[in-house]
Amino acid sequence: MASYLLTPPNAEPVSVDDAKAAARLVGSHWDAQVAAAIATARTVAEHETGLRLVTQVWRHELDAWPASTDLLPELAPTAVAVSYWATT
């Protein structure tokens, strides 16, 4: 199965200002580093837990039609579109 991120999150779950306040950082020169750290932490947390913390659009391509016992990657999607190709 291949997974592709179609629409990345438009906002992180924590703002840069909140993260800077929690880390007791002062000054705008920290903004880029803190923003990168927030995005990295969200990505790692999503990978480790298997959950999505913010709204994203993913495309999952399966090699074959899933069996009734197969679990799809998204446990609670808000919208699903299914298309398939027959070899004949």
Side-chain angles (χ1 to χ4, degrees):
M1 174 179 62
S3 298
Y4 305 100
L5 178 62
L6 299 179
T7 306
N10 58 2
E12 295 297 339
V14 177
S15 71
V16 172
D17 291 334
D18 289 343
K20 282 179 20 181
R24 296 181 182 168
L25 298 173
V26 179
S28 62
H29 60 280
W30 291 105
D31 289 354
Q33 292 173 337
V34 171
I38 292 170
T40 302
R42 179 192 47 80
T43 302
V44 170
E46 289 176 345
H47 178 73
E48 291 292 323
T49 62
L51 302 173
R52 303 287 178 238
L53 301 178
V54 290
T55 304
Q56 304 169 33
V57 177
W58 285 82
R59 178 185 177 125
H60 302 289
E61 294 182 357
L62 304 174
D63 297 332
W65 192 260
S68 61
T69 57
D70 290 343
L71 294 176
L72 296 177
E74 301 300 324
L75 300 177
T78 56
V80 174
V82 176
S83 60
Y84 64 95
W85 294 272
T87 58
T88 57

